[in-house]
Amino acid sequence: MEKIVSLSKRRGFVYQSSEVYGGLNGCWDYGPLGVELLRNVENEWWQEMTYREDIEGIDTSILMHPRVWEASGHVENFTDPMVDCKECKARFRADQLEESLCGNPAYKGRKAIKCQGEGKFTEARQFNLMFKTFVGPVEDDGSVVYLRPETAQGIYVNFLNVQSASRQKLPFGIAQIGKAFRNEINTKNFLFRTREFEQMEMQFFVKPGTDVEWFNYWKEERLKWFVNLGLKKEKLQFNQHEPDKLAHYAKDAFDIEYEFPFGWGEIEGIHNRTDYDLTRHEQYSGKSLKFFDEQTRERYIPYIIETSAGASRSFMAFLVDAYAEEEAPTADGGMKVRTVLKFHQRLAPIKAAVFPLVNRDGMPEIAKKITTTLRPHIRVFYDESGAVGRRYRRQDETGTPYCITVDSQTLDDQTVTVRDRDSMQQERISIDKILQYLGDRMDA
Ligand code: ATP
């Protein structure tokens, strides 16, 4: 993980938030390559989920009426048990002592569970994870609002708005990408557990009785999405929640887990939320949220199958999975370890780099012209500094799938070399075929 965090900073994927002030725990900034990768992940998800007949998109506000969070159960139930160490004053999630480290430098590396064994902790208290703030100038109880801890509730309260505007019939879904906030007791593992993060959630509304079938469908579809975007199959698994661990709203729940360097961790949850959410919003708002089935003339509250992925956690899984160190031949016939990010081409922040082999004989001009021609179509990077081998290595580290080099043969026959990031093989192709060549490969 340390290597990945350091590469992320060096190459402009992720920085600590407010770093010059010593950072703010649990918050991260995405640099030029990071923002591109994050957008690519989100765009892939958006296309997959909404470019189909039975799902609509939405973008709801972060601040919502406070009653929403009473109805959803978050005010009452969205808590984690917290304990304080009486000796080192560190604070822990009581259910994560096995994975947490004691805060006392004298016991460096010791698991917090040991301190518990020695009776150093306070009794566990329930701590609500929602961030509170106030609307308007007066900071009193009547003006409290919350930063949403999930994007789902914005979808539920708009269920009938979207259904009537889009004239969808059940089953259909509503998808949203947006920020969510949780005042986590311990943040850790880079982007895995942060206080501000992005979610990609889809709520699928179905007729009761068909929920199990749709639950199974979405479970498989979502796993496939990660595999199709390059995550190694053996690094992915389902983890079904035990009945006693199910959230208050859920009838069944599976996590899709990825094996990070620190162990298996959830990247997406698929939940059968039954009619819990819409029933509660009906009760709390006093407004009907029933669906009217024109064919059968029935009126009922749909069941909801939720697919809830963290965009930032998925980002991290794609980054970790892409990272490789491997032996590669050098120009002088030796071998050297190269660091390469083997992103799926659709996720790679930069799709192609263009180099003049040397900075003379008109090569830079040709390379710049190629860059300009490609730029409206794909994210492309021009580089003329340093030996070409070093330029290849730099692009490997940012995960660029193709490097295009203009050399002396280009001057004779208008061809360039295209080097493949993974195989490191080069092919010679004509300049006017570059776009077609890259397009064919990226579609594949
Ligand atoms: P965990 O048990 O890890 O706290 P959760 O079960 O509370 O997660 P959900 O409420 O199901 O998570 O949230 C859906 C998705 O949102 C998760 O699969 C994860 O990808 C993402 N997510 C949740 N909490 C965080 C966080 N603190 N930082 C980053 N991503 C998060």
Side-chain angles (χ1 to χ4, degrees):
M1 272 316 293
E2 268 168 38
K3 282 185 180 171
I4 292 171
V5 175
S6 128
L7 173 84
S8 290
K9 177 169 178 200
R10 189 157 40 85
R11 301 316 311 259
F13 282 94
V14 179
Y15 314 117
Q16 203 183 5
S17 158
S18 333
E19 194 187 338
V20 292
Y21 288 99
L24 179 66
N25 243 334
C27 299
W28 298 89
D29 297 338
Y30 291 82
L33 293 184
V35 69
E36 202 71 31
L37 175 61
L38 184 62
R39 275 177 187 236
N40 290 346
V41 170
E42 292 177 349
N43 288 343
E44 285 299 318
W45 185 89
W46 191 254
Q47 269 200 27
E48 169 86 3
M49 301 306 265
T50 69
Y51 287 18
R52 44 185 282 163
E53 262 177 67
D54 56 358
I55 299 186
E56 305 290 339
I58 197 170
D59 187 6
T60 69
S61 65
I62 287 172
L63 301 177
M64 299 179 73
H65 195 290
R67 292 277 284 166
V68 166
W69 306 107
E70 289 172 30
S72 68
H74 281 81
V75 170
E76 198 184 337
N77 295 315
F78 198 55
T79 56
D80 279 336
M82 178 173 75
V83 290
D84 290 319
C85 177
K86 291 181 226 161
E87 196 177 291
C88 73
K89 309 292 177 215
R91 200 153 259 181
F92 300 99
R93 245 175 87 167
D95 56 340
Q96 289 183 348
L97 296 175
E98 199 68 72
E99 312 138 47
S100 308
L101 293 180
C102 164
N104 188 340
Y107 298 128
K108 197 166 179 282
R110 170 174 148 140
K111 294 269 166 70
I113 191 95
K114 285 212 163 173
C115 304
Q116 187 191 37
E118 292 172 9
K120 291 181 178 167
F121 291 140
T122 57
E123 282 292 302
R125 286 159 293 150
Q126 289 301 323
F127 170 75
N128 196 298
L129 300 185
M130 283 197 292
F131 277 100
K132 264 187 198 170
T133 187
F134 303 91
V135 279
V138 185
E139 297 192 2
D140 61 11
D141 287 351
S143 55
V144 166
V145 290
Y146 302 98
L147 301 189
R148 66 179 177 200
E150 62 178 27
T151 63
Q153 301 300 325
I155 294 181
Y156 303 146
V157 297
N158 277 296
F159 159 63
L160 281 185
N161 284 340
V162 174
Q163 191 265 323
S164 63
S166 59
R167 296 192 291 124
Q168 286 278 3
K169 300 190 178 28
L170 295 193
F172 82 97
I174 306 177
Q176 158 153 249
I177 298 177
K179 288 260 175 156
F181 302 82
R182 296 183 187 180
N183 200 358
E184 300 280 359
I185 297 169
N186 297 127
T187 59
K188 60 179 173 194
N189 293 332
F190 195 31
L191 306 173
F192 186 79
R193 190 171 300 288
T194 56
R195 297 205 165 101
E196 175 178 337
F197 54 96
E198 215 141 349
Q199 289 188 314
M200 308 183 288
E201 296 197 303
M202 193 280 298
Q203 312 295 324
F204 204 70
F205 301 87
V206 305
K207 188 170 182 180
T210 64
D211 50 309
V212 172
E213 183 190 323
W214 280 110
F215 181 78
N216 291 333
Y217 168 82
W218 280 114
K219 201 178 121 223
E220 297 306 326
E221 284 298 296
R222 294 305 307 145
L223 184 71
K224 256 193 265 166
W225 184 77
F226 287 107
V227 175
N228 289 344
L229 283 175
L231 287 194
K232 297 180 192 78
K233 263 195 192 139
E234 64 277 15
K235 295 259 176 192
L236 287 163
Q237 69 179 19
F238 282 124
N239 177 18
Q240 186 171 20
H241 290 204
E242 298 292 330
D244 60 329
K245 295 257 167 60
L246 282 174
H248 59 279
Y249 52 75
K251 171 171 155 187
D252 198 359
F254 274 85
D255 292 340
I256 297 178
E257 294 185 336
Y258 178 79
E259 192 178 17
F260 291 100
F262 49 83
W264 290 94
E266 170 188 341
I267 49 177
E268 172 157 351
I270 294 97
H271 309 126
N272 182 343
R273 298 183 69 125
T274 68
D275 57 359
Y276 176 84
D277 303 278
L278 292 181
T279 305
R280 293 275 289 195
H281 284 305
E282 253 201 12
Q283 283 167 3
Y284 278 69
S285 69
K287 303 266 162 46
S288 168
L289 289 172
K290 293 191 178 60
F291 170 74
F292 179 62
D293 187 330
E294 283 170 16
Q295 269 178 346
T296 62
R297 316 298 292 168
E298 289 170 285
R299 198 179 285 279
Y300 56 87
I301 293 202
Y303 266 38
I304 294 172
I305 307 303
E306 168 182 67
T307 70
S308 173
S312 14
R313 264 194 209 173
S314 307
F315 172 105
M316 184 164 133
F318 286 119
L319 184 64
V320 164
D321 204 73
Y323 185 91
E325 286 176 12
E326 55 188 30
E327 290 271 321
T330 57
D332 56 12
M335 293 297 270
K336 207 175 166 198
V337 173
R338 71 162 182 159
T339 301
V340 53
L341 293 177
K342 295 186 169 179
F343 291 126
H344 188 285
Q345 302 181 354
R346 295 176 71 99
L347 297 184
I350 297 170
K351 309 294 186 203
V354 188
F355 312 145
L357 184 64
V358 288
N359 290 318
R360 57 180 151 77
D361 302 336
M363 290 185 209
E365 288 71 20
I366 300 174
K368 278 183 192 157
K369 194 158 169 239
I370 294 173
T371 310
T372 315
T373 316
L374 294 179
R375 189 154 278 148
H377 305 277
I378 53 171
R379 188 79 205 226
V380 58
F381 180 75
Y382 173 81
D383 189 4
E384 58 179 28
S385 65
V388 76
R390 289 195 53 198
R391 283 181 260 167
Y392 284 147
R393 294 292 173 272
R394 283 204 292 261
Q395 292 313 125
D396 286 345
E397 265 198 352
T398 61
T400 307
Y402 299 103
C403 291
I404 299 158
T405 305
V406 172
D407 55 16
S408 50
Q409 193 177 326
T410 313
L411 308 176
D412 296 333
D413 64 5
Q414 298 292 301
T415 63
V416 290
T417 61
V418 182
R419 175 218 189 234
D420 179 277
R421 175 195 67 201
D422 299 342
S423 68
M424 291 185 281
Q425 297 299 312
Q426 298 184 16
E427 255 189 89
R428 191 160 269 285
I429 60 164
S430 136
I431 291 179
D432 56 7
K433 296 266 163 41
I434 297 176
L435 196 57
Q436 172 87 47
Y437 178 92
L438 298 181
D440 287 349
R441 270 147 197 82
M442 280 183 212
D443 282 347

